[in-house]
Amino acid sequence: MSDIELYSYFASSCTFRLRIMLNYKGLDYDMKYVNLKAKEHFNEEFSKVNSMNQVPSIRLDGITISQSMVIAEYLEETRPTEPPMLPKDPKTRAIVR
């Protein structure tokens, strides 16, 4: 059991981006699959995770974060790696984003 829970739908490109990042950083995480076709994102249990009923969502450090780019930035700021996922130069970083 990991301290990181990633809520995902298998075909979500936004979640795919985060899986790449988590694996690149060597972070252990538990996948929590949410079947969007079966409308599981609208059930009461998932609504407690994300009131906007969207994937991806991630639980870590005692908080839940939604939106893949916000999650990616949080991971980079709290769990830096070398080389970094985002360039140091603000102009180059803006292009990457």
Side-chain angles (χ1 to χ4, degrees):
M1 183 117 192
S2 173
D3 292 335
I4 300 173
E5 295 179 336
L6 178 62
Y7 291 82
S8 171
Y9 179 63
F10 79 96
S12 165
S13 61
C14 294
T15 304
F16 186 70
R17 173 187 308 140
L18 294 175
R19 290 194 321 258
I20 291 170
M21 187 171 202
L22 288 163
N23 289 315
Y24 175 84
K25 291 180 169 293
L27 299 172
D28 290 327
Y29 61 97
D30 293 328
M31 287 290 286
K32 304 290 185 179
Y33 294 100
V34 180
N35 187 335
L36 301 183
K37 287 191 176 187
K39 301 195 184 300
E40 289 178 358
H41 56 303
F42 291 117
N43 71 28
E44 187 176 337
E45 182 180 338
F46 186 70
S47 291
K48 291 177 184 176
V49 173
N50 182 336
S51 61
M52 292 175 37
N53 305 97
Q54 299 172 337
V55 295
S57 292
I58 196 167
R59 281 186 171 172
L60 71 166
D61 301 337
I63 61 173
T64 301
I65 307 171
S66 300
Q67 300 296 325
S68 63
M69 290 307 295
V70 176
I71 295 167
E73 288 179 18
Y74 181 83
L75 289 171
E76 186 65 10
E77 291 169 359
T78 61
R79 291 153 175 88
T81 54
E82 286 300 326
M85 295 293 295
L86 294 171
K88 300 257 186 237
D89 174 61
K91 291 179 184 177
T92 309
R93 193 168 47 239
I95 293 168
V96 170
R97 287 182 175 147

